[in-house]
Amino acid sequence: MTIVSVCSLKGGVGKTSVVLGLASAALAKGVPTLVVDLDPQSDATLALDVDAEGATNAATVLGAPRRSAGKLVPARSNWAGDDESAVLDVIPGSPDIAALDRPSGSERTLARLSTALGALSQYRLVLVDCPPSLGTITRSGLGASHRAIVVTEPALFSVTAADRALHAINDVRRSSAPALQPLGVVVNRFRERSPEHKFRLQELSDMFGPLILGPTIRERSALQQAQGASQPIHRWPGEPAHELAAAFDAHLARILRANLRGTRGRAAALAVPS
C-alpha cells in the first residue's frame, strides 16, 4: 500500500482537484484506492458523492485514542457505481477536524492516522487530501505517508508557498517520518497562452529542477464541470476532459512506479548481509 499526501500551504491552487483527478485515474485503472479527506471544507467528500452515514470521519480518526484505530470504517464513493470489483473508498471529511488543528501536536496525536491506516490492507493506494496549512492535521497526513505531492499554480504567491511546503515536508521527514519522500510538485491550472504562466513555470523549473512533475494540469472548464456533477474526469465527455484524464494517468503511473522502486530498495537492503 502506498500512502501519498497531496498538500499545499496556499489555498485555492486546486489541491483537491488533483486528489480527485488521481482518484479518477486509479478507478479507471482498477487500482483499489482510499481517499482520506483531512480538509475541514470536505470538498473531496462532496465531489466523490459519499454517503458518510455509518462511516468513520477524519475528525474521529485524529481525535480517537489509539486503541480505536482498528474500528476504522470507510465510506464507499458512488463514483464506483454498482461495480462490486471497483474499490474507491473515502474517510469522509468533517468540519469538526478544524478544532484539532494546532501549530504542533503530541507524538501520540500525530501517530493516530498512521496507526489507523496501518490496520488496513485492502488498498493499493491511499490519497490524503491535506488542508492548506501546516498544523497538526497536515503533519499527521505527512507523517502517515510514504510520498508527498505539492500542488501549486503558476503565480507568484503560489511559487513561494510551494517552496515552503517542500521545506515543511523535509522537516517532517527529519523529525518524525524518515520514510517520507517528496514525489514532486504538480503545476495546476496552467494556461499555455499566458506569458505570466510560462514565466512562472520556468521559474518553478529553475527553483526545483526535476521535482517539477510533468505534465502540467491545464486549466480546463471540463474539470470544474465534472466535479460539479460529482463525476470522475475519466467519464466526462469531450477532448479537454480526455486531455486532463491522460495527465492524471501519467501522474498516477509515476506514483505507482515510485512505490515499486521503494519496495525493491527495501528488499535489496534486507538482502545485504550484516
Side-chain angles (χ1 to χ4, degrees):
M1 183 170 70
T2 302
I3 305 173
V4 181
S5 278
V6 181
C7 60
S8 170
L9 296 188
K10 181 183 182 301
V13 299
K15 165 185 57 64
T16 297
S17 293
V18 171
V19 171
L20 295 172
L22 291 171
S24 177
L27 181 63
K29 297 294 183 183
V31 177
T33 299
L34 174 71
V35 174
V36 181
D37 189 355
L38 295 184
D39 195 324
Q41 297 183 72
S42 306
D43 290 340
T45 302
L46 178 63
L48 286 163
D49 194 14
V50 173
D51 180 2
E53 184 176 357
T56 309
N57 66 42
T60 299
V61 175
L62 266 63
R66 186 175 297 187
R67 63 179 177 272
S68 300
K71 301 176 182 177
L72 192 66
V73 180
R76 180 178 171 87
S77 168
N78 282 317
W79 280 14
D82 296 327
D83 184 355
E84 293 299 325
S85 66
V87 178
L88 179 56
D89 294 341
V90 184
I91 300 300
S94 168
D96 295 339
I97 202 172
L100 304 173
D101 204 19
R102 303 178 180 90
S104 62
S106 69
E107 183 177 332
R108 179 178 297 179
T109 299
L110 294 173
R112 282 172 180 157
L113 179 61
S114 180
T115 301
L117 294 178
L120 303 176
S121 60
Q122 65 267 45
Y123 304 105
R124 185 178 174 192
L125 175 65
V126 177
L127 298 169
V128 183
D129 187 6
C130 297
S133 60
L134 187 62
T136 301
I137 300 174
T138 295
R139 289 182 181 275
S140 295
L142 291 171
S145 298
H146 306 113
R147 297 288 188 272
I149 292 174
V150 174
V151 179
T152 189
E153 60 181 358
L156 174 61
F157 299 142
S158 299
V159 170
T160 58
D163 188 43
R164 294 197 307 272
L166 286 170
H167 279 93
I169 291 165
N170 191 46
D171 288 344
V172 172
R173 180 184 63 81
R174 289 186 299 177
S175 64
S176 59
L180 175 66
Q181 294 291 337
L183 188 63
V185 179
V186 172
V187 181
N188 191 33
R189 295 177 176 166
F190 179 70
R191 295 197 301 270
E192 58 269 33
R193 295 184 180 181
S194 168
E196 171 69 8
H197 281 203
K198 290 180 180 179
F199 175 81
R200 295 301 174 191
L201 181 59
Q202 185 59 53
E203 183 180 35
L204 285 162
S205 298
D206 292 342
M207 289 177 66
F208 304 123
L211 282 175
I212 298 299
L213 305 178
T216 59
I217 307 298
R218 304 294 178 93
E219 187 172 60
R220 297 286 187 261
S221 60
L223 191 59
Q224 287 72 42
Q225 291 166 356
Q227 290 172 9
S230 296
Q231 290 291 319
I233 191 64
H234 286 69
R235 294 182 191 156
W236 201 252
E239 186 57 35
H242 296 160
E243 174 192 311
L244 290 168
F248 287 119
D249 286 342
H251 289 299
L252 175 67
R254 181 180 287 106
I255 291 170
L256 298 179
R257 287 197 304 270
N259 177 53
L260 182 61
R261 289 196 299 270
T263 301
R264 288 173 175 170
R266 288 189 294 273
L270 290 171
V272 175
S274 57

